[in-house]
Amino acid sequence: MTILRWVKTLFSKDKSDQDSLFLPVHKQLKAWRKANGKMSWGIKTKEFEKIEPLPSLTNIDRQHGFQGAALFYGFGDDGLGNADSILSGRQAWEYAVRLRKEKIWRCRYVDFDRTDDIRLRPGAPPRPQGFYYALLQLGEKYKTTTVNQVRKSFITDTGWAPEGFQFLAITHMHVQELMNQKKINFMALADYDVAPHGFNDFYDAPQLFCSLDTLGLGIGNIDQNYPLFGIPTLRFTHSSLD
């Protein structure tokens, strides 16, 4: 499917067409297999074989602003039986770096190897190990507010963390081009905290964007609104390994 068709579908007046922005699960799986092979992540064949069908959106989900569902993977272990959310984001970013080569930029304050300077925000739900699904909205719902304000509204839903990197860099790479063409908002990841000057002084959140054909990873103050950025949210469904 061409990028022009993606854009046409995205802005269709029929809201039922919005799912077309999201790839079917067999294409997401193909993308995960490709990345796993290229990066030697060690995701086992049996893990792919256990993945259940992609969850469908209900009318209530759509009323809550969700546009589709995507497949994610929790790498590592946080010591409590959950995934290591920093490692999960780093793996996907390193894959993007390998694919894009010089067409990529990262703010020096976002360093996945310095875990004292980036973390899953306190109160954020831990990410499961292995494959899991989540319902997503890509940020349009929260374009006129701040990360901090959106965090205070969370009850059953939450912000993106490693999901942002995995969505853009692995399963839905065409969204980078939609960003590049200003057809979709940039993304602030509300479930990550960044301490730009270290010393655990966390008051920024990562921002993902694609402009002038460059994929960028920056940061923004959680109490400031950035007009070009939306704040994506997600709702966990079930793990494919249940």
Side-chain angles (χ1 to χ4, degrees):
M1 184 177 288
T2 65
I3 192 67
L4 290 177
R5 188 174 171 190
W6 280 112
V7 174
K8 182 178 179 181
T9 303
L10 175 64
F11 289 94
S12 169
K13 292 182 181 180
D14 185 355
K15 290 186 180 299
S16 66
D17 290 340
Q18 288 184 356
D19 278 347
S20 297
L21 175 62
F22 293 81
L23 296 178
V25 69
H26 73 273
K27 291 188 176 181
Q28 295 189 42
L29 276 169
K30 182 178 180 180
W32 270 110
R33 289 182 187 274
K34 179 180 178 180
N36 184 50
K38 186 177 286 288
M39 300 300 288
S40 300
W41 285 332
I43 303 175
K44 295 179 173 56
T45 300
K46 65 180 181 180
E47 294 186 75
F48 286 98
E49 293 174 346
K50 289 182 178 180
I51 294 173
E52 299 175 356
L54 193 71
S56 299
L57 267 67
T58 66
N59 288 334
I60 293 177
D61 292 332
R62 295 182 187 280
Q63 290 172 13
H64 290 172
F66 291 104
Q67 300 163 281
L71 181 66
F72 303 102
Y73 191 88
F75 290 91
D77 193 320
D78 67 353
L80 298 174
N82 308 301
D84 180 338
S85 292
I86 304 305
L87 175 63
S88 297
R90 182 178 69 184
Q91 301 281 57
W93 179 253
E94 289 178 348
Y95 182 56
V97 171
R98 182 166 179 176
L99 292 183
R100 280 187 155 265
K101 299 178 181 178
E102 73 277 2
K103 293 184 178 181
I104 202 160
W105 176 85
R106 177 181 62 84
C107 171
R108 63 189 178 94
Y109 295 120
V110 184
D111 188 342
F112 292 104
D113 293 321
R114 299 182 62 180
T115 54
D116 288 339
D117 296 341
I118 183 170
R119 67 183 183 186
L120 195 65
R121 67 172 177 86
R127 272 48 179 181
Q129 294 177 320
F131 284 113
Y132 63 96
Y133 285 123
L135 305 182
L136 308 174
Q137 68 87 16
L138 302 187
E140 181 70 23
K141 184 178 179 181
Y142 297 115
K143 284 189 67 175
T144 59
T145 188
T146 69
V147 166
N148 201 24
Q149 289 171 329
V150 173
R151 286 176 176 178
K152 292 176 180 178
S153 72
F154 289 150
I155 300 175
T156 58
D157 304 333
T158 195
W160 290 17
E163 295 82 14
F165 295 100
Q166 294 183 4
F167 184 85
L168 284 179
I170 299 175
T171 62
H172 291 75
M173 293 175 60
H174 67 281
V175 174
Q176 294 181 33
E177 180 58 24
L178 292 177
M179 284 184 171
N180 194 56
Q181 296 184 16
K182 304 297 187 290
K183 301 297 185 181
I184 192 170
N185 51 261
F186 302 149
M187 300 178 179
L189 307 185
D191 268 14
Y192 272 142
D193 273 338
V194 175
H197 303 296
F199 306 105
N200 293 314
D201 194 6
F202 294 99
Y203 55 82
D204 281 358
Q207 295 177 331
L208 285 169
F209 60 91
C210 194
S211 183
L212 301 177
D213 202 29
T214 296
L215 178 64
L217 169 55
I219 57 175
N221 189 289
I222 63 171
D223 288 311
Q224 183 173 338
N225 176 245
Y226 297 85
L228 296 178
F229 288 82
I231 303 171
T233 56
L234 63 83
R235 179 177 296 169
F236 294 108
T237 58
H238 55 275
S239 169
S240 64
L241 301 182
D242 287 346

